[in-house]
Amino acid sequence: VMAMFVVVLIFTFVFRTVSVQGQSMQDTLFENDSLVISKLFYTPKQGDIVVVNSVVLDNRIIKRIIAVEGQKVEIDSKSAKVSVDGEALDESYVKCDGSFDDEYFDERYYDKEKQVYEYEVPEGCCFVMGDNRNHSTDSRVIGYVPYDEIVGRVLFRFAAGNDEVD
């Protein structure tokens, strides 16, 4: 009985399980993959995969952190290149056909001279994108994600799940 009580406490306050819904993180995560997440002592870092309780979308989503507060993101939609603070990211995990669909961008961030989308991440926020870039509603559309909307960082994937995220 005591062991069950400890397990319930751990999965209530330390870890949570979620199930992936949608294709925005393919080929890293797939529909119905089940994940263990945690926010305990978590500080958002570039490259982390996180579950976000998006106020803008009124839905839970799963995305990869591309940049954190104070960093500058540049996205060339024609070449599908993403740079943070002037350095191109090595994104071998991205599912893309060589360019990004412009429908996933807010035109307010387009620099016509450079022909790139530019974002400067404000304090207390991060910039997130799905790995399946042409099938992901992310910071290019919904804007910056406040740290307090992060439900947790993905720790690992396993077989069974419960809560749905996209």
Side-chain angles (χ1 to χ4, degrees):
V1 172
M2 186 63 158
M4 269 311 258
F5 179 72
V6 170
V7 168
V8 168
L9 281 177
I10 288 172
F11 275 91
T12 301
F13 297 106
V14 180
F15 302 108
R16 293 180 71 181
T17 59
V18 295
S19 179
V20 177
Q21 299 300 312
Q23 59 183 340
S24 71
M25 286 299 292
Q26 289 178 352
D27 284 338
T28 304
L29 301 172
F30 295 91
E31 182 100 22
N32 298 322
D33 278 354
S34 294
L35 313 170
V36 171
I37 65 171
S38 179
K39 192 172 181 180
L40 189 66
F41 305 118
Y42 178 64
T43 302
K45 294 181 201 74
Q46 186 179 25
D48 287 350
I49 297 174
V50 293
V51 173
V52 174
N53 192 17
S54 174
V55 171
V56 174
L57 296 174
D58 193 28
N59 195 12
R60 261 194 248 161
I61 59 175
I62 183 165
K63 305 295 175 198
R64 185 180 302 271
I65 296 177
I66 300 300
V68 294
E69 61 187 2
Q71 292 187 303
K72 186 176 181 181
V73 178
E74 285 188 358
I75 303 173
D76 183 337
S77 64
K78 305 300 181 234
S79 68
K81 298 290 182 206
V82 178
S83 298
V84 175
D85 293 335
E87 244 180 79
L89 297 181
D90 177 17
E91 297 185 299
S92 57
Y93 49 79
V94 170
K95 182 176 184 175
C96 181
D97 61 2
S99 67
F100 299 146
D101 294 340
D102 284 330
E103 71 183 82
Y104 290 97
F105 291 90
D106 184 332
E107 290 301 314
R108 294 178 297 171
Y109 296 99
Y110 189 69
D111 182 323
K112 290 180 182 176
E113 279 184 31
K114 292 182 180 178
Q115 296 184 340
V116 296
Y117 292 89
E118 293 184 321
Y119 307 86
E120 198 160 325
V121 185
E123 186 175 333
C125 295
C126 59
F127 189 91
V128 299
M129 294 176 79
D131 289 356
N132 189 358
R133 299 285 162 83
N134 286 329
H135 295 91
S136 178
T137 302
D138 49 41
S139 287
R140 297 171 292 170
V141 176
I142 66 172
Y144 309 107
V145 172
Y147 289 158
D148 63 3
E149 289 183 12
I150 295 175
V151 177
R153 176 178 64 99
V154 174
L155 301 177
F156 60 89
R157 175 177 29 198
F158 73 101
N162 49 9
D163 290 346
E164 294 184 356
V165 297
D166 182 26

